Amino acid sequence: MTAPDAAASPRRRGFARRLARRLRLGRVLLLRRWRQSLQFRAIAVSLTLTALAFFVTGSFLSHQIADRLFNDRLQQVLAGATADFEDVQASFDASDASARDELQALVASTLGSLATDRADTERRWILVPMDYTSGQTLIPAQSQSPWMTSSTVPPELQERLEEQDGVFWQPASVRMAEDGDTVPVIVVGTVVELSQNSPYGLYLVYDFSDPQRTLDAMHAVLLLSVVALLLLVGAIVWYVTREVVRPVSTTARVAEQLAEGDLGVRMPVGGTHEVARLARSFNRMADSLQEQITQLEQLSSMQQTFVSDVSHELRTPLTTVRMAAEVLFNAREDFDPVNRRSAELLYHQVDRFDSLLADLLEISRFDAGAARLEVATVELFSIIHDVVEAAAPLAASSGSVVRVRSHLSRCTVQGDHRRIERILRNLVVNALEHGEGRPVDVLVAQSETAAAVAVRDHGIGMTEEEAAQVFNRFWRADPARARTTGGTGLGLAIATEDTRLHGGRLEVWGAPGEGACFLLTLPRTRARRLGPDDPSPLPLPPDDLAYPETAETTPTGSLSLMAAPGLVEPAGTPADAPQAEPVHDEEARP
């Protein structure tokens, strides 16, 4: 390879790569346009089908025109050639020439008149002896034009003349002028005899370039007509689809704005056609939605205000009632059995009412945007042990065992100790209430960016519909279920709000008869909030047996810690991280 070729080769490869990238980009853009634009799809389909129809019709017309044009000209040529062949043979038969010179003069004079046919079409003649070995050949092969020889005649036509008598033709491409280009011709041949029965093949070469030029011109006209019709059809389809698709696009845009919260946007209305009726119906629907949403917002605001006001107004009298209930409860031994039982019921009901009031106050703070985080570095195992130990009596009374499982010995996050403890307490108590006496597992895991705590029970479980509503306020799977603890229906809703303040996620899984699992995932630092695509260190539901047991409740209602083998402190655990000072988290708003 020479130096210029070696230098040009990388340039060619670079050009090929750029061309391939542009082709891929064009294909991607076309596919994207095809998927996103209904108008583009309609125009593309219409033009493709129209072009296919024009191609089929044009091909049929071109074939018919070419056949008609060729056949008509061929019939004229064959008729003229047959008459001329008869005249030539008659001239040869009428002559008594026998010497070579006389025969040559006879051929020249007879065939000289064949330069043009009866329709003044240019043609050439070629005379070729058919028997070179008989010794009867008197004159050699000759033609009107020196550049035309016996090789100009198609071999198939020569063989046919040797086998059959008659007038035959064959298409070919030859030069009609010495310095000209090859043109389409028709070679017509027959057998003529000179003196002494010497057979010769006489061939007439007819120029068919004029019919070909006519056919080419007609093809060009057809092609231009197809292009013009395609442009016209494309313009018509574009206009029609634009008139149809534009209202659909407007409707889609208005619907997107409505979905984003712009309730005041409406569709333009004009005319009385179907699209106008659609626009009017859509606008009426939007008006109805806006009115209903406004009413719901007002009702929600009134409800929040009512709950907040009632909660605050009831706090002072409830304190007084609690004091009186405690006095009566402490003095119940001096009462008769009826009054003693009444004092006990009053004390417990006041306690439950106080819990409900506390939950309502917390919900009102979430709604008002007044909830704040007191951020510090907290140790999850310490919180979990405290929660499990506090719930141990409930576990003992329900017949369940709460087990803490993990590969870790330490797991810290930056968050609000009180709120994280409340989340885990709600989850553990909820699992014990619905665990039906079966074991409850608390699993802990962490990654470099997140920590996860899963609370898994093996009780009644829940369906997908119930799991979708379990975090709603005041929702209960079975309103008629006997409630032994809590029962306000706000615990999981408050846990969800506390999780959101920390920038984490609270997820649920459940299956009827297989139990339920709540997965709490928290960021390990406040500098990074978890996104919807960030994975949790624990699957949902986790495999209980894949984690060693580190603590469990005893039948007496206490917590027993155990040294599980293989506990490790993974890389990235901030064991020596400095304790964060409690601060107000100004960004943690619901």
Side-chain angles (χ1 to χ4, degrees), residues 293-309 367-368:
I293 291 175
T294 302
Q295 292 177 356
L296 290 175
E297 289 177 347
Q298 293 174 353
L299 181 61
S300 176
S301 177
M302 293 173 59
Q303 179 185 10
Q304 294 173 8
T305 304
F306 174 77
V307 170
S308 177
D309 293 344
D367 293 337

Side-chain angles (χ1 to χ4, degrees), residues 578-590:
Q579 297 293 317
E581 294 295 331
V583 294
H584 264 315
D585 188 0
E586 296 296 336
E587 297 179 355
R589 296 177 180 271

